[in-house]
Amino acid sequence: MPPEARTKRPTAGSGIPASRANVARPVARRGGDPASSSPVFRLDDLSVYYGSFKAVRNVSMSIPQQQITAFIGPSGCGKTTLLRCLNRMNDLVDIARVEGKVLYHGVDLYDEQVNPVEVRRRIGMVFQKPNPFPKSIYDNITFGPKVAGVKGNLEEIVERSLRRAALWDEVKDRLKDSAMGLSGGQQQRLCIARALAVDPEVILMDEPCSALDPIATGRIEDLMEEIKTDYTIVIVTHNMQQAARVSDMCAFFTAEINEHSDTRTGILVEFDRTETMFSNPQDERTENYVTGRFG
Amino acid sequence: MIGTTPATYAPEAVRKRLQGKRFDAKGFAFSACLLAALLITVTLLAVLLYDVINGGWSVLTSRPIEFLTGSLSSAAADAGIGQGLRGTFFIAVFVILVAFPIGIGAAIYLEEYAPSTRLTRLIDVNIRNLAGVPSVVYGLLGFAIFVKALGSFTGPDANGRTVISAGLTLAILVLPIVIITSAEAIRAVPDSLREAGFGVGATRWEVIRSHVLPYAGPGILTGTVLALARALGEAAPLILVGATTGFLSGGDSYNLASLQGRFTAMPMVIYNWTGRPQPGFETATAAAIVVLLAVVLVANATAILLRNRYEKRR
Amino acid sequence: MAPRPGESGVLSVESLKGAPGRFRKESAIRRVFFAAAATSILISALIVLSLAGEAWTFVTQVDYSSLWTDGWFPRRGMYDVKTIFVGSILVTIVAMFVAGPLGMGAAVYLSEYAKPRLRRTLKPILEILAGIPSVVLGFFALTWISPEIVQRLNPESSLFNLMAAGIGVGILTTPLVASIAEDAMRSVPQALREASYGMGARKVTTSTKVVIPAAVSGLVAAFIIGISRAIGETMVVAIAAGATGGSLFNLNVFEPGQTMTAAMASMAAGTDAVKGAGLTFQSLFFVGLLLFLITLLLNVSAGRFVRRVRQRY
Ligand SMILES: Nc1ncnc2c1ncn2[C@@H]1O[C@H](COP(=O)(O)OP(=O)(O)OP(=O)(O)O)[C@@H](O)[C@H]1O
Ligand SMILES: [Mg+2]
């Protein structure tokens, strides 16, 4: 595959919500060297276990702010596992356990005092298969703000979130209809809108387009491009072109076979700017993977 | 299978081979036996219904109001089931108020909260085994606890042999059924729905209340209605907690304070009348059965249809 | 909305703690649900405790010679447990002769042969049959099965007899056996059937040589649960088997007899308290404990079989 990663240009903050319009945006930070911008996440020697099985080991990396970071790698190398550590979604799996640190703006997410519910409000998630609640479009969006105790104007939140997710025009006349009646692509955009409605800082996306056709995929990619001015996005994808198209930073994982047991543990091979990853990877395994010679 | 390879591929020969044996006698006999098993069962149900409806028809048509509201009596011509219906009604109230909330709560705990520990597994196995304990043993439990030990609370003037004892006993009897069926309904809620809820920062309870319970609602409703129907039809525990088998004077049972008084219920009325040698009681029993069956089977059928309806929609 | 940490520059553990009220409520709710689940343990404990005390009194005080007499007449101090135990066994055997073939046959038909539409009508009928109260079947056993079936088979038999009771219990047990057996059959993966058909096997061969062997643990479990249910059934026997006061030892199913369950019911039925010679009251609990242990054993072993099917697929 030709390295066709586009260089990211900082776009003007056109669609910034009113609440944040007055915040000075350090433009130089975006698209620049990740090391220089203060990271949103710092993973410090992170290992994840399911029971006694080590799914991912010794991952250290910094995820920069207001950029799109892509996780790529072969199936089963622990991308989903790692992603779900970033908002403590793995707490829902009984046997899951982490070692090492996940620092979110310097705060250890796995600190005793930290409440996972609060974490997930700030770090939203979009799942592989669109999973709208079997309720109305309106209720889908308002559920998050309601449980977070937002007293303000819910209609406004609904409209703003749907506009941001580029879904408003398609559904504005049927907000009270069931979300299950939407097409797959619309459902996924609704899920993104639902995540945006609680005003998170980070949005984690686990293969958000894998259940969608190319046109719907294109719309979601445009949407990510559009909202990254306000959000930090981490996306898992199997689609190399997608990673190249949308991401600023790219992490390649692979699974190494454990010597004594017949299991595989995921490791981080390389993490760099997307252009570098696709044009001039440092590691041979990365090169093989991105050029399609893997396995 | 070399022998079956056709020697010639002439269309006629191939067609013949593909037709195979016209009549598969063994297969036919097997399926006929199976169908017979099913039909015998269904026929027995039909005969039973015919038998009781036919038997009770004269009573239900000749004096319907008197029969439905009348008191127990030693004369078949005067006997009515009013007191039995009243007892059955209160038993239903107890089951709904006691077994449903505890049962659904337990199911929510087991499916949504419980970590997979030894204790959880113990509770789980325990509930399954409780569901298989014979009803007469529950009767003994009710007798020992609600009649003997707590008699001063359940009915000081009736030695504890009251509808309170009976209602609590039957609530305990159906509790495992409520838990098991509710837990099944909750388990059928897709995880993606829960993750969606957690993903926007909801707590466990907020996810349960807003998404899990509404989704599992029809299934839970079905299970609880089936459990209720079971409770209304049970007689053995009532015998043990001492439902009246003789007859109740009107003043004794018709004022509400007599929740703490002697009582009877539909299954007990039927049991009692079945054993009576006096003429006329066989038709009265059949009539009482028709009434009980109407209540129980309508509840059952509604629950089952409701469930099938929702299953199809998903 | 909370300020964004990256922009304001500060984020502390404090700000990720969340509103305390919301999370206190959360843990209170959790405790309530735990209490509900723990009730089941409490109930089991109560069952065992309430049975064990009086049963122990019985075991320690009863004159052992009265445990081996000509019959079960608790009010006269004759506690021949074998009479009612054998009565239970006889009724259960008759019941399983009815429920075994009918239940299994119905299950195999519904799972392997019935077209979806037929299945959609027949299955609910079976489920409705499962809801018929046992007093009703008792009445049916006495007024129809006994005269129309049993006394025709054997004109010598009395109106109250163990045979009619057993058939009634069998009818009552059939839907239960059918539904568990059908679940077991349907949990056999479709791929296994297709593999068999793919080799040119007929339907009957597929059912008997592939599906049934694959589901056999579940079918055994269905049968065991049927037995457990039949042993625990009270009202049909209490009504149709006669022998209210007590029963002589009897192996003839065409004669009246008594089971453990019916013995309990008949001791408690009647007027006010359980009356009779010294230990009548305690013997009630002894029989109850025995019954509890037998059904528990059966249910636990059935659970083993069910789990074996689950593990395999
Ligand atoms: N809930 C779980 N319990 C036990 N093991 C799990 C669980 N979830 C994932 N695993 C294991 O952890 C490893 C990593 O899984 P993960 O889903 O993170 O991989 P992935 O990179 O996202 O794969 P894919 O690209 O196929 O989505 C796999 O070996 C998987 O079997
Ligand atoms: Mg994945």
Side-chain angles (χ1 to χ4, degrees):
Chain A
M1 198 201 78
E4 53 164 17
R6 283 182 276 150
T7 315
K8 300 292 164 193
R9 294 274 160 261
T11 44
S14 48
I16 303 169
S19 63
R20 267 182 258 132
N22 56 351
V23 178
R25 302 196 153 262
V27 175
R29 196 194 276 170
R30 245 177 290 129
D33 184 8
S36 70
S37 79
S38 84
V40 174
F41 289 106
R42 232 188 63 223
L43 312 192
D44 198 359
D45 205 24
L46 186 72
S47 300
V48 190
Y49 298 79
Y50 291 109
S52 59
F53 164 61
K54 197 183 228 180
V56 181
R57 74 169 172 84
N58 308 95
V59 174
S60 298
M61 66 194 292
S62 289
I63 296 177
Q65 210 170 49
Q66 281 158 352
Q67 302 209 347
I68 299 179
T69 301
F71 287 0
I72 60 171
S75 192
C77 67
K79 306 179 294 293
T80 300
T81 301
L82 200 63
L83 191 74
R84 288 166 62 99
C85 285
L86 299 183
N87 70 343
R88 294 195 53 177
M89 212 63 180
N90 270 342
D91 286 24
L92 304 176
V93 179
D94 265 350
I95 52 172
R97 184 165 55 81
V98 301
E99 262 173 25
K101 278 201 163 82
V102 181
L103 299 175
Y104 171 65
H105 294 290
V107 175
D108 184 2
L109 283 187
Y110 286 84
D111 189 290
E112 283 274 290
Q113 304 251 305
V114 167
N115 192 315
V117 172
E118 201 54 37
V119 171
R120 292 180 205 127
R121 216 221 15 84
R122 290 157 185 267
I123 306 169
M125 191 150 197
V126 175
F127 300 84
Q128 181 166 2
K129 267 176 65 190
N131 57 352
F133 303 125
K135 301 195 162 167
S136 72
I137 295 169
Y138 183 91
D139 289 344
N140 263 276
I141 307 284
T142 54
F143 176 72
K146 272 186 191 156
V147 298
V150 171
K151 295 280 185 295
N153 188 343
L154 290 175
E155 259 96 57
E156 198 186 304
I157 293 179
V158 170
E159 178 172 349
R160 192 175 60 209
S161 314
L162 285 171
R163 277 193 193 283
R164 288 244 77 172
L167 192 59
W168 175 250
D169 291 331
E170 287 158 71
V171 302
K172 63 173 182 247
D173 298 324
R174 46 173 177 147
L175 293 177
K176 297 288 174 201
D177 290 4
S178 167
M180 306 313 272
L182 299 174
S183 75
Q186 288 174 326
Q187 287 188 2
Q188 194 63 304
R189 275 180 283 147
L190 177 65
C191 291
I192 295 176
R194 183 176 65 189
L196 297 180
V198 287
D199 198 28
E201 187 202 0
V202 183
I203 298 176
L204 309 175
M205 298 183 166
D206 190 358
E207 301 184 44
C209 303
S210 68
L212 305 182
D213 66 49
I215 294 174
T217 301
R219 302 198 63 161
I220 303 248
E221 287 178 8
D222 291 345
L223 170 58
M224 287 163 59
E225 192 81 20
E226 156 85 20
I227 61 176
K228 70 176 244 201
T229 49
D230 293 308
Y231 304 90
T232 304
I233 296 175
V234 184
I235 177 174
V236 171
T237 176
H238 269 280
N239 180 333
M240 227 58 61
Q241 284 97 328
Q242 183 171 60
R245 275 196 303 268
V246 301
S247 70
D248 304 291
M249 298 293 296
C250 187
F252 172 64
F253 296 84
T254 194
E256 52 172 31
I257 299 167
N258 298 322
E259 269 177 34
H260 303 296
S261 56
D262 193 25
T263 57
R264 289 160 162 271
T265 298
I267 50 166
L268 173 63
V269 176
E270 195 170 347
F271 178 48
D272 209 331
R273 302 203 42 170
T274 304
E275 298 131 33
T276 321
M277 289 287 280
F278 280 86
S279 59
N280 187 20
Q282 302 301 300
D283 195 292
E284 196 185 348
R285 289 169 292 181
T286 315
E287 181 166 5
N288 288 344
Y289 189 77
V290 298
T291 55
R293 259 183 279 144
F294 182 83
Chain B
M1 296 266 244
I2 295 158
T4 61
T5 310
T8 162
Y9 290 101
E12 193 51 29
V14 173
R15 189 160 63 85
K16 255 205 152 135
R17 275 169 196 281
L18 286 180
Q19 276 173 352
K21 264 194 298 179
R22 276 285 158 73
F23 183 67
D24 174 9
K26 192 174 155 210
F28 179 78
F30 183 65
S31 66
C33 284
L34 298 178
L35 186 58
L38 197 58
L39 291 183
I40 289 174
T41 315
V42 173
T43 310
L44 282 169
L45 174 68
V47 172
L48 185 153
L49 289 179
Y50 174 79
D51 191 45
V52 293
I53 292 177
N54 190 36
W57 195 246
S58 60
V59 176
L60 287 174
T61 48
S62 65
R63 50 183 192 99
I65 308 294
E66 297 90 325
F67 182 72
L68 288 176
T69 57
S71 302
L72 298 174
S73 162
S74 53
D78 304 330
I81 56 173
Q83 294 163 329
L85 284 174
R86 176 181 171 276
T88 292
F89 170 78
F90 281 113
I91 286 171
V93 170
F94 272 100
V95 169
I96 291 170
L97 293 184
V98 177
F100 287 8
I102 298 181
I104 296 171
I108 291 175
Y109 181 79
L110 290 175
E111 291 302 317
E112 298 290 323
Y113 287 95
S116 54
T117 58
R118 268 269 223 7
L119 178 65
T120 307
R121 272 196 299 280
L122 178 73
I123 294 181
D124 208 49
V125 170
N126 189 48
I127 289 169
R128 260 157 227 295
N129 287 327
L130 277 181
V133 173
S135 57
V136 67
V137 174
Y138 280 99
L140 217 43
L141 166 82
F143 176 56
I145 306 290
F146 301 121
V147 176
K148 289 278 154 198
L150 302 175
S152 56
F153 157 71
T154 54
D157 302 326
N159 296 326
R161 324 180 95 209
T162 63
V163 76
I164 300 178
S165 302
L168 291 174
T169 305
L170 288 173
I172 288 182
L173 173 93
V174 297
L175 187 59
I177 309 175
V178 176
I179 299 177
I180 291 173
T181 50
S182 303
E184 252 161 37
I186 293 174
R187 208 173 308 138
V189 178
D191 261 339
S192 66
L193 203 59
R194 295 189 183 87
E195 291 192 327
F198 289 122
V200 291
T203 61
R204 183 67 75 167
W205 170 239
E206 286 156 357
V207 170
I208 294 170
R209 195 193 49 196
S210 304
H211 304 300
V212 174
L213 288 184
Y215 192 98
I220 293 178
L221 190 64
T222 303
T224 48
V225 173
L226 288 176
L228 181 63
R230 163 94 194 268
L232 299 186
E234 280 293 344
L238 299 183
I239 298 182
L240 271 292
V241 299
T244 300
T245 48
F247 88 113
L248 293 163
S249 69
D252 208 16
S253 67
Y254 266 101
N255 74 61
L256 262 184
S258 70
L259 265 188
Q260 288 187 325
R262 311 295 319 267
F263 79 104
T264 191
M266 283 306 292
M268 277 307 286
V269 172
I270 293 166
Y271 170 60
N272 179 18
W273 286 356
T274 312
R276 286 186 182 252
Q278 295 97 321
F281 266 110
E282 191 170 329
T283 54
T285 314
I289 286 177
V290 172
V291 176
L292 179 64
L293 277 183
V295 174
V296 170
L297 295 191
V298 165
N300 263 334
T302 320
I304 291 164
L305 290 181
L306 183 82
R307 185 197 57 206
N308 291 355
R309 180 105 175 252
Y310 270 88
E311 258 172 15
K312 224 184 296 163
R313 278 231 314 248
R314 296 244 157 91
Chain C
M1 291 252 114
R4 298 202 155 202
E7 287 149 6
S8 61
V10 275
L11 178 83
S12 62
V13 173
E14 288 298 311
S15 52
L16 289 181
K17 260 170 143 176
R22 186 173 172 210
F23 299 105
R24 256 200 309 269
K25 180 174 159 201
E26 186 70 20
S27 61
I29 288 172
R30 183 199 172 96
R31 271 195 294 274
V32 167
F33 287 144
F34 174 76
T39 316
S40 79
I41 301 275
L42 178 75
I43 292 172
S44 318
L46 283 179
I47 289 183
V48 174
L49 282 180
S50 64
L51 294 179
E54 304 286 0
W56 180 248
T57 316
F58 179 79
V59 171
T60 48
Q61 295 187 3
V62 71
D63 174 6
Y64 285 103
S65 68
S66 69
L67 288 179
W68 198 268
T69 55
D70 297 336
W72 173 264
F73 294 97
R75 285 168 202 196
R76 283 192 261 141
M78 294 163 75
Y79 308 109
D80 182 46
V81 180
K82 78 173 182 302
T83 299
I84 54 175
F85 184 76
V86 167
S88 282
I89 299 292
L90 289 177
V91 166
T92 303
I93 290 174
V94 173
M96 290 322 285
F97 264 105
V98 175
L102 289 187
M104 297 288 172
V108 177
Y109 189 84
L110 282 178
S111 130
E112 303 301 307
Y113 280 85
K115 301 236 157 44
R117 246 188 67 204
L118 186 63
R119 186 172 178 278
R120 273 205 300 276
T121 28
L122 288 177
K123 185 99 203 274
I125 292 179
L126 265 189
E127 287 174 310
I128 289 174
L129 187 59
I132 292 184
S134 56
V135 259
V136 175
L137 259 154
F139 175 81
F140 185 61
L142 180 64
T143 59
W144 195 82
I145 297 175
S146 183
E148 299 292 329
I149 297 183
V150 180
Q151 289 187 325
R152 276 188 198 185
L153 279 177
N154 179 359
E156 310 278 276
S157 83
S158 59
L159 180 62
F160 293 96
N161 60 72
L162 288 172
M163 185 75 176
I167 295 175
V169 173
I171 296 173
L172 207 57
T173 316
T174 301
L176 182 69
V177 174
S179 117
I180 301 172
E182 202 218 349
D183 278 351
M185 305 268 302
R186 285 170 76 85
S187 71
V188 173
Q190 195 60 26
L192 218 56
R193 293 186 184 89
E194 278 162 8
S196 169
Y197 288 134
M199 295 187 313
R202 287 173 303 165
K203 195 151 199 166
V204 50
T205 321
T206 306
S207 300
T208 54
K209 298 275 158 56
V210 177
V211 183
I212 292 179
V216 73
S217 302
L219 301 183
V220 172
F223 201 79
I224 297 176
I225 291 174
I227 293 176
S228 158
R229 173 79 201 266
I231 286 189
E233 176 46 47
T234 309
M235 296 316 295
V236 178
V237 189
I239 292 173
T244 32
S247 169
L248 285 171
F249 184 77
N250 164 32
L251 281 172
N252 183 353
V253 290
F254 293 104
E255 288 297 315
Q258 206 162 40
T259 62
M260 294 191 284
T261 52
M264 291 167 66
S266 79
M267 268 189 271
T271 48
D272 249 337
V274 177
K275 280 190 290 203
L279 289 171
T280 309
F281 178 77
Q282 283 79 4
S283 74
L284 182 64
F285 287 83
F286 175 72
V287 177
L289 184 63
L290 206 61
L291 189 64
F292 174 72
L293 292 178
I294 292 172
T295 51
L296 184 66
L297 192 74
L298 288 168
N299 292 334
V300 168
S301 59
R304 286 266 156 77
F305 280 106
V306 170
R307 232 166 299 135
R308 203 182 293 172
V309 187
R310 286 225 189 96
Q311 265 161 18
R312 209 150 1 123
Y313 301 110

